[in-house]
Amino acid sequence: MAMARFGATAAGGVNRQALSAEDFVAQAELVRWGEALGLAASRDRIGNLFLRLPGTDPDAAPVLSGSHLDSQPTGGRFDGVYGVLAAFEAVQAIIERGVAHRHPIEVVAWMNEEGSRFAPGMMGSAVFAGARTEEETVSVRDAAGVSVADALAQCDIAMAQVPLRALGGPVHAYVEAHIEQGPVLEREGIPVGVVSGIQGKHTFRVEVLGEPSHAGTSERRERKDALIAATAMVQALAAEFHDAEDITKFTVGRFEVFPNAPSVVAGKVVFSIDLRHPRSDRLRAMSARIEPICRAVQGPCEVVVTRLSAADSLEFPTALRDRIRSIAGRLDIPSLDLPSAAGHDARYLHPIAPSAMIFVPCHLGITHNEAESAEPGDLAAGARVLADLLVELANEPARKESE
Ligand code: HGY
Ligand code: MN
Ligand code: MN
């Protein structure tokens, strides 16, 4: 709730978009909370923020745990921030109980998980893990034309008191706690979800280029109406990706018309595509259909389809999932295995370190919505399981380089 003050909206949600002033004050608050615990804060060039609790072996690779502080424009008070604060609370409990551990433990807040101001999302974790380059990331611009590079320069000023660290680095293991963003755990009355994996997600930007003209004088047969073409594309894609089992998730969340004036035939439309499916082969096949389908209905307009991200489905290691389940059992906390339909930064840590996710219920699965809500008891249950898992992982022997 204290974090929800930063970017708070009148409807009770948050608008704390990546590298915004609200994001910086939230990060600064987390640094202050960390300093009160004696945690050393650091940040990397791509805007990720870390709070470090040393272990007995300073050379051991850290166990990382966290999520993101940035939100959607009409976001909720739990998406992302719960994972950062559950990790913070777990570390606080470890300090207060004086629990010894070999590996350092680092609380992390990844830069721009949501991908709303700057697309695609998960920029901080993807660059940290080497899945995307710094160059391709910092050149992305927001709707106002501000680049990630410009915004990171503002971050350098706002977060000047936090020392810079090298990009990337070894990770012993990564655990992310997050609200489920679905209805299952609440419906089943179960406080902790053992996440089996994350479904694949491909994102695109489609630019439809026509010609602005006068709404009263330009002949229909002469028009290059980008809006008519773009809406035909959206409808054709929706029809193509409509499946009776409702497994394919096709979303056009952003649709921008230029010049967006009532008496001007649209000269240009830019729209987003977010396409997801648990089966990577199906997802790739559907992804390949997007450009041909847009071309088939482009009419007199030009169309440019740009793929922004393409992530296959992933399964988290069963060994880690088993450990979450047995810790919950030991703590007498009911748990349930379930997949994640939403994307998370764990997607990019998974290829470079054993990674796992712990879900907690959110009311009716409402999320990416200011009405998002969760119960303190469930949030605490998730943090308790997380704390025990972090202690276990932080007491493992160092993984041999070969592994
Ligand atoms: O889009 C996602 O799945 C994430 O919540 N940003
Ligand atoms: Mn999230
Ligand atoms: Mn989200």
Side-chain angles (χ1 to χ4, degrees):
M1 294 310 108
M3 268 304 170
R5 286 174 312 174
F6 304 111
T9 61
V14 291
N15 179 6
R16 188 170 59 231
Q17 295 186 56
L19 301 176
S20 61
E22 298 81 10
D23 187 16
F24 296 148
V25 285
Q27 290 188 49
E29 178 79 350
L30 184 67
V31 169
R32 267 193 297 280
W33 294 357
E35 278 164 354
L37 291 187
L39 302 178
S42 64
R43 60 193 171 87
D44 63 21
R45 287 199 312 271
I46 205 70
N48 297 315
L49 178 66
F50 304 84
L51 300 178
R52 183 180 175 92
L53 173 65
T56 53
D57 178 354
D59 302 327
V63 172
L64 260 55
S65 182
S67 188
H68 58 94
L69 287 177
D70 69 293
S71 80
Q72 292 289 347
T74 53
R77 297 168 298 167
F78 301 91
D79 178 358
V81 61
Y82 168 63
V84 176
L85 298 188
F88 183 85
E89 292 276 351
V91 163
Q92 182 169 4
I94 289 165
I95 295 170
E96 289 172 354
R97 297 290 297 272
V99 177
H101 52 92
R102 257 171 50 74
H103 296 264
I105 300 174
E106 295 187 344
V107 176
V108 56
W110 300 110
M111 188 276 276
N112 187 27
E113 187 278 342
E114 294 288 14
S116 49
R117 179 185 177 193
F118 299 109
M122 299 181 207
M123 285 183 170
S125 51
V127 172
F128 176 91
R132 279 189 224 145
T133 66
E134 203 178 340
E135 291 65 36
E136 68 186 310
T137 299
V138 299
S139 58
V140 171
R141 290 185 183 279
D142 68 7
V146 177
S147 70
V148 170
D150 300 339
L152 284 170
Q154 289 163 357
C155 183
D156 283 338
I157 296 165
M159 305 298 287
Q161 81 281 12
V162 178
L164 270 175
R165 68 191 254 169
L167 205 48
V171 177
H172 179 66
Y174 176 70
V175 190
E176 179 166 357
H178 205 286
I179 52 169
E180 178 198 337
Q181 298 181 296
V184 176
L185 292 175
E186 182 189 50
R187 189 180 61 215
E188 303 300 320
I190 293 181
V192 162
V194 183
V195 185
S196 52
I198 302 177
Q199 72 174 336
K201 168 181 173 183
H202 289 199
T203 62
F204 299 80
R205 179 181 55 250
V206 180
E207 291 169 284
V208 184
L209 307 165
E211 195 175 279
S213 60
H214 194 296
T217 59
S218 62
E219 303 288 332
R220 192 196 59 251
R221 55 178 163 271
E222 300 301 320
R223 289 184 179 192
K224 294 182 179 176
D225 188 329
L227 184 109
I228 299 298
T231 49
M233 292 173 194
V234 170
Q235 292 306 326
L237 290 166
E240 171 81 8
F241 298 140
H242 180 278
D243 63 3
E245 319 91 302
D246 194 354
I247 290 176
T248 304
K249 300 289 186 296
F250 166 73
T251 309
V252 173
R254 175 172 289 159
F255 191 92
E256 296 169 302
V257 183
F258 301 91
N260 206 27
S263 300
V264 179
V265 172
K268 176 177 159 186
V269 167
V270 181
F271 65 88
S272 62
I273 293 176
D274 179 321
L275 183 66
R276 310 193 196 195
H277 195 284
R279 291 235 342 243
S280 301
D281 55 341
R282 294 291 324 280
L283 181 57
R284 289 166 185 245
M286 290 189 284
S287 216
R289 298 280 300 127
I290 288 174
E291 180 149 7
I293 287 172
C294 288
R295 292 219 172 286
V297 292
Q298 70 185 88
C301 296
E302 289 305 311
V303 59
V304 178
V305 178
T306 310
R307 197 170 71 179
L308 301 176
S309 68
D312 281 345
S313 291
L314 67 89
E315 286 268 311
F316 291 121
T318 43
L320 278 180
R321 290 156 56 188
D322 294 345
R323 289 167 76 170
I324 295 173
R325 208 174 299 110
S326 65
I327 289 170
R330 263 205 328 263
L331 293 173
D332 217 8
I333 295 172
S335 67
L336 176 74
D337 285 48
L338 76 172
S340 178
H344 301 286
D345 291 301
R347 179 194 292 291
Y348 288 105
L349 277 292
H350 171 69
I352 65 165
S355 299
M357 289 194 73
I358 296 168
F359 271 173
V360 292
C362 61
H363 186 49
L364 296 177
I366 295 168
T367 186
H368 282 195
N369 179 309
E370 294 163 290
E372 184 182 271
S373 73
E375 288 305 316
D378 294 334
L379 302 175
R384 290 176 63 210
V385 173
L386 176 67
D388 278 18
L389 181 58
L390 292 182
V391 169
E392 273 192 24
L393 292 167
N395 278 313
E396 285 179 329
R399 236 191 2 262
K400 288 181 289 308
E401 276 320 301
S402 56
E403 267 182 292

Short mmCIF file of all heavy atoms in Angstrom, two decimals, residues 259-280:
data_model
loop_
_atom_site.label_atom_id
_atom_site.label_comp_id
_atom_site.label_asym_id
_atom_site.label_seq_id
_atom_site.Cartn_x
_atom_site.Cartn_y
_atom_site.Cartn_z
N PRO A 259 -4.10 11.58 -38.93
CA PRO A 259 -3.92 12.57 -37.85
C PRO A 259 -5.00 12.50 -36.78
O PRO A 259 -5.04 13.35 -35.90
CB PRO A 259 -3.99 13.90 -38.60
CG PRO A 259 -4.95 13.66 -39.71
CD PRO A 259 -4.73 12.22 -40.12
N ASN A 260 -5.92 11.51 -36.84
CA ASN A 260 -6.92 11.34 -35.78
C ASN A 260 -7.83 12.58 -35.69
O ASN A 260 -8.09 13.11 -34.62
CB ASN A 260 -6.21 11.13 -34.42
CG ASN A 260 -7.11 10.34 -33.45
OD1 ASN A 260 -7.96 9.57 -33.88
ND2 ASN A 260 -6.94 10.57 -32.17
N ALA A 261 -8.25 13.05 -36.87
CA ALA A 261 -9.11 14.25 -36.92
C ALA A 261 -10.41 13.88 -37.63
O ALA A 261 -10.37 13.18 -38.66
CB ALA A 261 -8.39 15.36 -37.68
N PRO A 262 -11.54 14.31 -37.12
CA PRO A 262 -12.83 13.83 -37.63
C PRO A 262 -13.03 14.05 -39.14
O PRO A 262 -13.66 13.22 -39.81
CB PRO A 262 -13.86 14.63 -36.82
CG PRO A 262 -13.13 15.02 -35.58
CD PRO A 262 -11.70 15.19 -35.97
N SER A 263 -12.49 15.11 -39.70
CA SER A 263 -12.76 15.39 -41.13
C SER A 263 -11.56 15.12 -42.01
O SER A 263 -11.43 15.72 -43.08
CB SER A 263 -13.21 16.85 -41.27
OG SER A 263 -14.39 17.03 -40.52
N VAL A 264 -10.68 14.22 -41.51
CA VAL A 264 -9.51 13.85 -42.33
C VAL A 264 -9.50 12.33 -42.48
O VAL A 264 -9.52 11.60 -41.49
CB VAL A 264 -8.19 14.31 -41.67
CG1 VAL A 264 -7.00 13.89 -42.54
CG2 VAL A 264 -8.21 15.81 -41.45
N VAL A 265 -9.46 11.86 -43.71
CA VAL A 265 -9.33 10.41 -43.95
C VAL A 265 -7.98 9.98 -43.37
O VAL A 265 -6.95 10.63 -43.63
CB VAL A 265 -9.35 10.13 -45.48
CG1 VAL A 265 -9.01 8.67 -45.77
CG2 VAL A 265 -10.71 10.52 -46.05
N ALA A 266 -7.98 8.93 -42.56
CA ALA A 266 -6.76 8.51 -41.84
C ALA A 266 -5.62 8.20 -42.83
O ALA A 266 -5.77 7.36 -43.72
CB ALA A 266 -7.06 7.28 -41.01
N GLY A 267 -4.51 8.93 -42.63
CA GLY A 267 -3.35 8.70 -43.50
C GLY A 267 -2.50 7.55 -42.99
O GLY A 267 -1.78 6.91 -43.74
N LYS A 268 -2.61 7.29 -41.67
CA LYS A 268 -1.74 6.25 -41.10
C LYS A 268 -2.41 5.67 -39.86
O LYS A 268 -3.09 6.41 -39.11
CB LYS A 268 -0.38 6.86 -40.73
CG LYS A 268 0.60 5.93 -40.05
CD LYS A 268 1.94 6.67 -39.83
CE LYS A 268 2.78 6.03 -38.75
NZ LYS A 268 3.98 6.82 -38.44
N VAL A 269 -2.26 4.37 -39.68
CA VAL A 269 -2.70 3.72 -38.44
C VAL A 269 -1.56 2.83 -37.97
O VAL A 269 -0.91 2.16 -38.78
CB VAL A 269 -3.98 2.86 -38.66
CG1 VAL A 269 -4.23 1.95 -37.46
CG2 VAL A 269 -5.18 3.76 -38.92
N VAL A 270 -1.25 2.88 -36.67
CA VAL A 270 -0.26 1.97 -36.08
C VAL A 270 -0.99 1.17 -35.00
O VAL A 270 -1.64 1.77 -34.12
CB VAL A 270 0.91 2.75 -35.43
CG1 VAL A 270 1.93 1.78 -34.84
CG2 VAL A 270 1.58 3.65 -36.49
N PHE A 271 -0.93 -0.18 -35.10
CA PHE A 271 -1.56 -0.95 -34.02
C PHE A 271 -0.65 -2.07 -33.54
O PHE A 271 0.29 -2.48 -34.23
CB PHE A 271 -2.95 -1.48 -34.44
CG PHE A 271 -3.01 -2.48 -35.56
CD1 PHE A 271 -2.89 -3.85 -35.30
CD2 PHE A 271 -3.20 -2.07 -36.87
CE1 PHE A 271 -2.98 -4.79 -36.32
CE2 PHE A 271 -3.29 -3.00 -37.92
CZ PHE A 271 -3.19 -4.35 -37.64
N SER A 272 -0.90 -2.50 -32.29
CA SER A 272 -0.07 -3.54 -31.65
C SER A 272 -0.76 -4.89 -31.81
O SER A 272 -1.98 -4.96 -31.96
CB SER A 272 0.08 -3.24 -30.15
OG SER A 272 -1.22 -3.28 -29.54
N ILE A 273 0.04 -5.96 -31.78
CA ILE A 273 -0.49 -7.32 -31.70
C ILE A 273 0.24 -8.06 -30.60
O ILE A 273 1.47 -8.01 -30.51
CB ILE A 273 -0.31 -8.09 -33.03
CG1 ILE A 273 -1.17 -7.47 -34.14
CG2 ILE A 273 -0.66 -9.57 -32.85
CD1 ILE A 273 -0.96 -8.12 -35.50
N ASP A 274 -0.54 -8.67 -29.72
CA ASP A 274 0.01 -9.52 -28.65
C ASP A 274 -0.64 -10.89 -28.86
O ASP A 274 -1.84 -11.02 -28.74
CB ASP A 274 -0.38 -8.92 -27.28
CG ASP A 274 0.12 -9.74 -26.10
OD1 ASP A 274 0.08 -10.99 -26.18
OD2 ASP A 274 0.50 -9.15 -25.08
N LEU A 275 0.17 -11.89 -29.26
CA LEU A 275 -0.36 -13.21 -29.62
C LEU A 275 0.28 -14.25 -28.71
O LEU A 275 1.51 -14.29 -28.57
CB LEU A 275 -0.02 -13.52 -31.08
CG LEU A 275 -0.57 -14.84 -31.65
CD1 LEU A 275 -2.11 -14.80 -31.73
CD2 LEU A 275 0.01 -15.09 -33.05
N ARG A 276 -0.56 -15.08 -28.05
CA ARG A 276 0.00 -16.05 -27.11
C ARG A 276 -0.66 -17.41 -27.28
O ARG A 276 -1.85 -17.51 -27.63
CB ARG A 276 -0.24 -15.60 -25.66
CG ARG A 276 0.19 -14.17 -25.42
CD ARG A 276 0.26 -13.81 -23.96
NE ARG A 276 0.30 -12.35 -23.82
CZ ARG A 276 0.66 -11.74 -22.70
NH1 ARG A 276 0.99 -12.44 -21.63
NH2 ARG A 276 0.69 -10.42 -22.65
N HIS A 277 0.13 -18.45 -26.99
CA HIS A 277 -0.39 -19.81 -27.04
C HIS A 277 0.58 -20.71 -26.26
O HIS A 277 1.79 -20.50 -26.32
CB HIS A 277 -0.50 -20.28 -28.51
CG HIS A 277 -1.35 -21.51 -28.68
ND1 HIS A 277 -0.91 -22.77 -28.35
CD2 HIS A 277 -2.62 -21.66 -29.12
CE1 HIS A 277 -1.87 -23.65 -28.61
NE2 HIS A 277 -2.93 -23.00 -29.07
N PRO A 278 0.07 -21.68 -25.54
CA PRO A 278 0.97 -22.56 -24.77
C PRO A 278 1.83 -23.47 -25.65
O PRO A 278 2.87 -23.93 -25.23
CB PRO A 278 0.02 -23.37 -23.88
CG PRO A 278 -1.35 -23.17 -24.42
CD PRO A 278 -1.34 -21.91 -25.23
N ARG A 279 1.41 -23.74 -26.89
CA ARG A 279 2.18 -24.61 -27.78
C ARG A 279 3.03 -23.77 -28.72
O ARG A 279 2.51 -23.05 -29.58
CB ARG A 279 1.22 -25.50 -28.57
CG ARG A 279 0.50 -26.55 -27.73
CD ARG A 279 0.69 -27.98 -28.25
NE ARG A 279 1.13 -28.09 -29.61
CZ ARG A 279 0.38 -28.69 -30.57
NH1 ARG A 279 -0.85 -29.11 -30.28
NH2 ARG A 279 0.85 -28.82 -31.80
N SER A 280 4.36 -23.85 -28.57
CA SER A 280 5.27 -23.01 -29.36
C SER A 280 5.11 -23.24 -30.86
O SER A 280 5.16 -22.29 -31.65
CB SER A 280 6.73 -23.26 -28.95
OG SER A 280 6.85 -22.96 -27.57
#
